Amino acid sequence: MNKKVEVLPDISALVTRGLEVIMSKLSTAIEQRGQFTIALAGGSTPKPLYEAIASQDLPWNKIHIFWGDERYVPPNHPDSNELMARRAWLDRVDIPATNIHPVPTLDGDPATSSAKYEQHLRDFFHCSSKEFPSLDVVLLGMGDDAHTASLFPHTPALKVRDRLITVGNKDENPRITFTYPFINAARSVIFLVAGVNKRPALAQVFAAVGDDFTYPSRLIQPQGELLWLLDAAAGGELPA
C-alpha cells in the first residue's frame, strides 16, 4: 500500500492541496480511461473543496459522481450529503444529469435502497457479483470516533465483506454506505481531516497495533494510493 500523510497549515491549505491532487487524478483518469469516477464525502470539511472544483473548467461530460455514504433522508433534506454537494458544486456546473449517481433513499427500506445502489454500481462498471470495481478517487472524512463513510464503531456494517454497499447505523438512524472492501478497491483514497478534536482518533488509527472495530478508519487499506490530508489542528501531534 502506498500511504502518504500530509499536514497542511490550515483548512484553506488543505482545500488547495485537495484540489491539486484531485485535478491530477482526474487528468490521468481521463487520459488513460476516458472518464473520471469519484465518490464524495459528506460533512463540513469537503464543502469548500467542492466549491473550488466547481470553479474549474473541466470536461464535465467525462466526470461521474457517486457518494460513499448517505443519510437515509430525502435528497432535499438539510442533512442530505447529495444536497450539500449539489449546492456547493453540481448545480453550478454543466454536468450531465446522467453522470450524477446519487444514493437512493426513497424506497422506505434501507436494505432495498442498499441493494438498488449496489446493482446500479455493478451495471455502471459492468462487473459481476463477485468483483469489486475500482473508483478513481474515494473521498473520505473521519469523525472523532474514527468512523469513516457510515462505518461506525462496533456496527454490523464493519463485518460486510462480500458486497459493495450495506446499511450503516448511527444511533438507530440508518444510512447507506460503501463497505470497506469496496473503498479499498479504489485507485486512490483521500482522507480530509480537520480539527483538534480528531487528534485522539488519529493517534489510534495510525497506531501500529489497534482495534479495527473500535476505530473503523483503520480498515481503510486500499490496493491503490492512500493519502491523508490533515490540517495542523488535527495532525499537529502525529509523529514525524
Side-chain angles (χ1 to χ4, degrees):
M1 183 185 63
N2 184 7
K3 175 183 175 181
K4 297 179 182 177
V5 180
E6 298 183 20
V7 180
L8 291 308
D10 52 31
I11 287 282
S12 177
L14 187 153
V15 168
T16 298
R17 178 59 176 147
L19 178 65
E20 180 181 74
V21 172
I22 289 170
M23 291 303 98
S24 174
K25 303 296 183 188
L26 183 151
S27 177
T28 298
I30 292 175
E31 179 181 345
Q32 294 182 352
R33 293 177 291 280
Q35 68 179 16
F36 175 67
T37 57
I38 182 170
L40 305 186
S44 59
T45 303
K47 183 179 179 181
L49 174 60
Y50 299 159
E51 293 169 341
I53 296 172
S55 70
Q56 305 298 303
D57 182 15
L58 297 173
W60 298 110
N61 63 317
K62 297 180 180 180
I63 298 170
H64 286 266
I65 308 295
F66 300 85
W67 277 264
D69 74 313
E70 183 59 276
R71 295 173 176 88
Y72 206 65
V73 296
N76 61 352
H77 191 281
D79 292 338
S80 167
N81 291 337
E82 177 188 347
L83 180 64
M84 184 273 278
R86 286 187 181 276
R87 287 178 170 173
W89 169 8
L90 303 176
D91 288 348
R92 298 166 55 189
V93 300
D94 191 23
I95 186 170
T98 53
N99 287 26
I100 300 173
H101 308 268
V103 180
T105 59
L106 298 176
D107 297 295
D109 174 48
T112 298
S113 298
S114 171
K116 186 180 291 187
Y117 202 44
E118 170 135 0
Q119 190 58 55
H120 178 78
L121 283 156
R122 293 196 179 282
D123 291 344
F124 177 85
F125 285 104
H126 306 291
C127 67
S128 75
S129 61
K130 302 295 184 183
E131 296 175 292
F132 283 79
S134 297
L135 286 144
D136 292 308
V137 170
V138 174
L139 286 178
L140 295 174
M142 188 193 73
D144 54 15
D145 61 354
H147 87 268
T148 192
S150 285
L151 301 170
F152 290 92
H154 303 290
T155 56
L158 300 179
K159 298 182 180 180
V160 179
R161 301 180 179 90
D162 59 347
R163 299 198 298 275
L164 308 181
I165 308 296
T166 192
V167 179
N169 191 286
K170 182 185 182 184
D171 301 328
E172 304 306 317
N173 293 313
R175 302 183 179 203
I176 309 299
T177 184
F178 282 12
T179 62
Y180 79 84
F182 182 33
I183 296 172
N184 285 341
R187 293 184 177 90
S188 179
V189 175
I190 303 171
F191 274 93
L192 304 173
V193 181
V196 68
N197 59 311
K198 306 296 176 66
R199 285 189 181 186
L202 282 170
Q204 295 293 333
V205 172
F206 284 18
V209 178
D211 182 351
D212 297 348
F213 290 93
T214 301
Y215 305 100
S217 290
R218 291 179 59 89
L219 291 166
I220 308 306
Q221 305 285 341
Q223 64 179 12
E225 297 177 331
L226 174 59
L227 176 60
W228 287 82
L229 297 181
L230 317 173
D231 74 347
E237 291 184 348
L238 290 174

